[in-house]
Amino acid sequence: MSQRRVTDDAARLTVPSLTAALAMALVIGYGAHRAQRLHPSLAALGRAERDVTAGAYDRAIAELDSARVRDPDLVEAHRLLARAYAGTRRWQEAVAELDTAIRRVAYDPGLLFERGNAQLELGHTDRAIADYAAVLRLAPRAAVAHYNLGIAYARRGDGDSARAEFERALANATDDTLRRDAQNALTHLARASPPRLPVGSVEPPATELAGGDAQLRDRLRTQLAQAQDSLDRGRYTAAAVTLRALEREARGLAARYPDNLDLPRLVSDSRRSLARVRDACLAEQIVAERRGATPPACP
């Protein structure tokens, strides 16, 4: 499984066309004198876009470097330069250009999507997840962001979250290729999962917990549900505190009952939920910063 690229038609999200972006730049706030000074940069952007499309990345980088020097505030130059760097697999430089563009644009999920792709290529899975999750806060029905988020979760080893995102991608996809990719990803996950027991069979009996420990296990299950509710409400610190304590207690129980099948699941569920808390909080931080709001403190 590999992530979908921004060059895919389905991956464009709400990214404005180059023509529309430049027209808005000229109309809003620049004025005639500013537009005249920008003209060489606009011509360079046009050439660079054609070069990027044709795969002539080195030539595009040279053009865009010149345009960026002439006008460092031209967001589209940073966006195109990031794509040119991505074409030559210079992912760290691509991230730097996208960081610059994102600081200058308050609302553009496409830039966050591209940065998520670059972070995933660098192996920065958690950062990629945060970017994709931020995209989905801005564009909840963006099927390609659900798909790439599923890829990121799969690489982190969180099969349940990956499966949920691939299912959302499948439900929201309008592109046949993306729909097929999501279905293939779900099939791949199903094959990678441990085989299910045949219908009518049962799991091996687990070691019974003593009365007090059984009550503790039930309480931990309740706390896991409460932590999920805190996460859904955006109460990240409360959720994280609950989950860390839950994991410690579940580990202690699992050590005392090594043959019990429920307790390792409880440990892994608490760890996975804690990772989701961090993902959700980082995504909200990204969106809050773009909107000029106060970002939450992440645990």
Side-chain angles (χ1 to χ4, degrees):
M1 294 181 289
S2 60
Q3 77 258 36
R4 302 271 295 188
R5 303 293 181 188
V6 75
T7 51
D8 299 330
D9 287 341
R12 295 189 183 279
L13 299 171
T14 58
V15 179
S17 69
L18 179 62
T19 303
L22 297 180
M24 288 298 291
L26 291 175
V27 170
I28 302 175
Y30 279 100
H33 176 72
R34 177 73 163 161
Q36 289 173 4
R37 190 169 74 80
L38 271 175
H39 179 72
S41 296
L42 301 185
L45 287 177
R47 291 191 297 271
E49 185 183 35
R50 290 191 293 272
D51 287 338
V52 170
T53 302
Y57 301 118
D58 290 336
R59 189 166 61 204
I61 289 170
E63 286 276 12
L64 291 164
D65 278 339
S66 298
R68 188 177 51 174
V69 169
R70 282 192 296 268
D71 196 303
D73 294 328
L74 205 55
V75 170
E76 203 64 33
H78 295 286
R79 188 200 305 269
L80 282 172
L81 192 52
R83 292 182 186 174
Y85 282 137
T88 57
R89 305 193 65 78
R90 294 159 64 178
W91 299 111
Q92 198 66 60
E93 289 161 290
V95 168
E97 293 301 324
L98 289 165
D99 285 343
T100 299
I102 288 167
R103 285 195 295 269
R104 287 168 165 75
V105 180
Y107 184 95
D108 192 336
L111 288 170
L112 294 171
F113 179 82
E114 292 185 56
R115 190 173 67 179
N117 287 352
Q119 297 284 20
L120 202 55
E121 292 286 355
L122 286 167
H124 300 161
T125 309
D126 289 347
R127 297 178 193 175
I129 288 171
D131 276 339
Y132 294 141
V135 169
L136 290 166
R137 288 175 181 267
L138 298 170
R141 296 178 65 84
V144 70
H146 283 297
Y147 177 83
N148 279 18
L149 182 54
I151 294 292
Y153 277 132
R155 291 189 184 180
R156 195 165 75 180
D158 186 348
D160 289 342
S161 295
R163 186 176 296 105
E165 293 304 325
F166 290 139
E167 288 172 350
R168 292 183 184 112
L170 191 60
N172 288 288
T174 57
D175 173 78
D176 288 340
T177 302
L178 178 57
R179 190 180 294 112
R180 184 173 61 250
D181 287 347
Q183 186 59 66
N184 288 341
L186 286 168
T187 301
H188 179 83
L189 276 181
R191 289 173 178 167
S193 299
R196 294 178 180 274
L197 292 169
V199 175
S201 65
V202 296
E203 293 182 345
T207 303
E208 290 296 324
L209 275 64
D213 288 336
Q215 292 175 0
L216 174 58
R217 177 201 56 202
D218 293 342
R219 177 170 62 80
L220 294 178
R221 286 174 175 167
T222 300
Q223 289 177 345
L224 185 62
Q226 291 171 342
Q228 182 59 52
D229 181 67
S230 294
L231 170 58
D232 294 341
R233 294 171 182 270
R235 297 167 55 197
Y236 304 119
T237 299
V241 168
T242 298
L243 289 167
R244 289 189 182 112
L246 190 161
E247 183 183 351
R248 284 194 301 271
E249 292 194 81
R251 281 186 181 281
L253 273 181
R256 294 201 296 276
Y257 298 91
D259 295 330
N260 185 283
L261 300 180
D262 287 338
L263 299 175
R265 292 174 190 157
L266 196 55
V267 173
S268 63
D269 285 347
S270 61
R271 293 185 65 185
R272 187 160 49 242
S273 294
L274 184 59
R276 290 171 184 164
V277 169
R278 289 193 293 266
D279 297 339
C281 190
L282 288 173
E284 190 166 326
Q285 278 188 337
I286 292 169
V287 174
E289 288 167 358
R290 302 280 63 76
R291 291 174 170 169
T294 301
C298 291

PDB file of all heavy atoms in Angstrom, residues 15-28 76:
ATOM      1  N   VAL A  15      -7.418  22.741  -3.090  1.00  0.00           N
ATOM      2  CA  VAL A  15      -6.313  23.568  -3.540  1.00  0.00           C
ATOM      3  C   VAL A  15      -6.763  24.402  -4.734  1.00  0.00           C
ATOM      4  O   VAL A  15      -7.272  23.866  -5.705  1.00  0.00           O
ATOM      5  CB  VAL A  15      -5.119  22.685  -3.960  1.00  0.00           C
ATOM      6  CG1 VAL A  15      -3.980  23.556  -4.440  1.00  0.00           C
ATOM      7  CG2 VAL A  15      -4.673  21.828  -2.801  1.00  0.00           C
ATOM      8  N   PRO A  16      -6.606  25.734  -4.702  1.00  0.00           N
ATOM      9  CA  PRO A  16      -7.023  26.551  -5.842  1.00  0.00           C
ATOM     10  C   PRO A  16      -6.104  26.321  -7.027  1.00  0.00           C
ATOM     11  O   PRO A  16      -4.958  25.949  -6.874  1.00  0.00           O
ATOM     12  CB  PRO A  16      -6.876  27.990  -5.311  1.00  0.00           C
ATOM     13  CG  PRO A  16      -5.851  27.881  -4.239  1.00  0.00           C
ATOM     14  CD  PRO A  16      -6.028  26.524  -3.615  1.00  0.00           C
ATOM     15  N   SER A  17      -6.645  26.523  -8.208  1.00  0.00           N
ATOM     16  CA  SER A  17      -5.800  26.425  -9.395  1.00  0.00           C
ATOM     17  C   SER A  17      -4.777  27.545  -9.371  1.00  0.00           C
ATOM     18  O   SER A  17      -4.958  28.564  -8.711  1.00  0.00           O
ATOM     19  CB  SER A  17      -6.654  26.531 -10.660  1.00  0.00           C
ATOM     20  OG  SER A  17      -7.158  27.842 -10.786  1.00  0.00           O
ATOM     21  N   LEU A  18      -3.692  27.348 -10.095  1.00  0.00           N
ATOM     22  CA  LEU A  18      -2.646  28.366 -10.142  1.00  0.00           C
ATOM     23  C   LEU A  18      -3.204  29.680 -10.664  1.00  0.00           C
ATOM     24  O   LEU A  18      -2.944  30.742 -10.105  1.00  0.00           O
ATOM     25  CB  LEU A  18      -1.500  27.886 -11.050  1.00  0.00           C
ATOM     26  CG  LEU A  18      -0.331  28.849 -11.232  1.00  0.00           C
ATOM     27  CD1 LEU A  18       0.331  29.113  -9.884  1.00  0.00           C
ATOM     28  CD2 LEU A  18       0.688  28.269 -12.198  1.00  0.00           C
ATOM     29  N   THR A  19      -4.007  29.612 -11.703  1.00  0.00           N
ATOM     30  CA  THR A  19      -4.569  30.836 -12.286  1.00  0.00           C
ATOM     31  C   THR A  19      -5.421  31.579 -11.286  1.00  0.00           C
ATOM     32  O   THR A  19      -5.302  32.797 -11.115  1.00  0.00           O
ATOM     33  CB  THR A  19      -5.416  30.489 -13.524  1.00  0.00           C
ATOM     34  OG1 THR A  19      -4.589  29.786 -14.446  1.00  0.00           O
ATOM     35  CG2 THR A  19      -5.972  31.743 -14.169  1.00  0.00           C
ATOM     36  N   ALA A  20      -6.298  30.840 -10.578  1.00  0.00           N
ATOM     37  CA  ALA A  20      -7.175  31.491  -9.606  1.00  0.00           C
ATOM     38  C   ALA A  20      -6.377  32.095  -8.462  1.00  0.00           C
ATOM     39  O   ALA A  20      -6.649  33.205  -8.005  1.00  0.00           O
ATOM     40  CB  ALA A  20      -8.188  30.486  -9.065  1.00  0.00           C
ATOM     41  N   ALA A  21      -5.369  31.374  -7.995  1.00  0.00           N
ATOM     42  CA  ALA A  21      -4.573  31.882  -6.883  1.00  0.00           C
ATOM     43  C   ALA A  21      -3.843  33.156  -7.269  1.00  0.00           C
ATOM     44  O   ALA A  21      -3.796  34.127  -6.498  1.00  0.00           O
ATOM     45  CB  ALA A  21      -3.567  30.818  -6.443  1.00  0.00           C
ATOM     46  N   LEU A  22      -3.283  33.183  -8.449  1.00  0.00           N
ATOM     47  CA  LEU A  22      -2.551  34.365  -8.869  1.00  0.00           C
ATOM     48  C   LEU A  22      -3.488  35.534  -9.141  1.00  0.00           C
ATOM     49  O   LEU A  22      -3.158  36.687  -8.835  1.00  0.00           O
ATOM     50  CB  LEU A  22      -1.725  34.046 -10.122  1.00  0.00           C
ATOM     51  CG  LEU A  22      -0.639  32.974  -9.919  1.00  0.00           C
ATOM     52  CD1 LEU A  22       0.120  32.744 -11.214  1.00  0.00           C
ATOM     53  CD2 LEU A  22       0.321  33.374  -8.820  1.00  0.00           C
ATOM     54  N   ALA A  23      -4.647  35.240  -9.690  1.00  0.00           N
ATOM     55  CA  ALA A  23      -5.611  36.316  -9.929  1.00  0.00           C
ATOM     56  C   ALA A  23      -6.031  36.967  -8.618  1.00  0.00           C
ATOM     57  O   ALA A  23      -6.110  38.192  -8.510  1.00  0.00           O
ATOM     58  CB  ALA A  23      -6.835  35.766 -10.664  1.00  0.00           C
ATOM     59  N   MET A  24      -6.289  36.141  -7.596  1.00  0.00           N
ATOM     60  CA  MET A  24      -6.662  36.691  -6.303  1.00  0.00           C
ATOM     61  C   MET A  24      -5.527  37.513  -5.712  1.00  0.00           C
ATOM     62  O   MET A  24      -5.744  38.556  -5.103  1.00  0.00           O
ATOM     63  CB  MET A  24      -7.027  35.547  -5.352  1.00  0.00           C
ATOM     64  CG  MET A  24      -8.351  34.873  -5.685  1.00  0.00           C
ATOM     65  SD  MET A  24      -9.743  36.000  -5.575  1.00  0.00           S
ATOM     66  CE  MET A  24      -9.793  36.259  -3.817  1.00  0.00           C
ATOM     67  N   ALA A  25      -4.301  37.051  -5.893  1.00  0.00           N
ATOM     68  CA  ALA A  25      -3.157  37.790  -5.360  1.00  0.00           C
ATOM     69  C   ALA A  25      -3.057  39.164  -5.988  1.00  0.00           C
ATOM     70  O   ALA A  25      -2.710  40.152  -5.332  1.00  0.00           O
ATOM     71  CB  ALA A  25      -1.875  37.005  -5.607  1.00  0.00           C
ATOM     72  N   LEU A  26      -3.382  39.243  -7.269  1.00  0.00           N
ATOM     73  CA  LEU A  26      -3.293  40.527  -7.962  1.00  0.00           C
ATOM     74  C   LEU A  26      -4.443  41.449  -7.576  1.00  0.00           C
ATOM     75  O   LEU A  26      -4.262  42.667  -7.482  1.00  0.00           O
ATOM     76  CB  LEU A  26      -3.288  40.292  -9.472  1.00  0.00           C
ATOM     77  CG  LEU A  26      -2.025  39.626 -10.034  1.00  0.00           C
ATOM     78  CD1 LEU A  26      -2.214  39.334 -11.510  1.00  0.00           C
ATOM     79  CD2 LEU A  26      -0.819  40.511  -9.840  1.00  0.00           C
ATOM     80  N   VAL A  27      -5.621  40.868  -7.374  1.00  0.00           N
ATOM     81  CA  VAL A  27      -6.800  41.703  -7.125  1.00  0.00           C
ATOM     82  C   VAL A  27      -6.826  42.216  -5.695  1.00  0.00           C
ATOM     83  O   VAL A  27      -7.193  43.359  -5.433  1.00  0.00           O
ATOM     84  CB  VAL A  27      -8.089  40.901  -7.437  1.00  0.00           C
ATOM     85  CG1 VAL A  27      -9.319  41.656  -6.963  1.00  0.00           C
ATOM     86  CG2 VAL A  27      -8.171  40.625  -8.926  1.00  0.00           C
ATOM     87  N   ILE A  28      -6.452  41.346  -4.762  1.00  0.00           N
ATOM     88  CA  ILE A  28      -6.593  41.700  -3.343  1.00  0.00           C
ATOM     89  C   ILE A  28      -5.269  42.201  -2.796  1.00  0.00           C
ATOM     90  O   ILE A  28      -4.344  41.426  -2.590  1.00  0.00           O
ATOM     91  CB  ILE A  28      -7.086  40.496  -2.530  1.00  0.00           C
ATOM     92  CG1 ILE A  28      -8.416  40.001  -3.100  1.00  0.00           C
ATOM     93  CG2 ILE A  28      -7.229  40.844  -1.061  1.00  0.00           C
ATOM     94  CD1 ILE A  28      -8.915  38.740  -2.441  1.00  0.00           C
ATOM     95  N   GLU A  76       2.356  30.410  -3.935  1.00  0.00           N
ATOM     96  CA  GLU A  76       2.345  29.377  -4.961  1.00  0.00           C
ATOM     97  C   GLU A  76       3.759  28.948  -5.342  1.00  0.00           C
ATOM     98  O   GLU A  76       3.974  27.798  -5.753  1.00  0.00           O
ATOM     99  CB  GLU A  76       1.585  29.876  -6.195  1.00  0.00           C
ATOM    100  CG  GLU A  76       1.046  28.764  -7.072  1.00  0.00           C
ATOM    101  CD  GLU A  76       0.004  27.905  -6.362  1.00  0.00           C
ATOM    102  OE1 GLU A  76      -0.740  28.436  -5.517  1.00  0.00           O
ATOM    103  OE2 GLU A  76      -0.039  26.700  -6.654  1.00  0.00           O
TER     104      GLU A  76
END
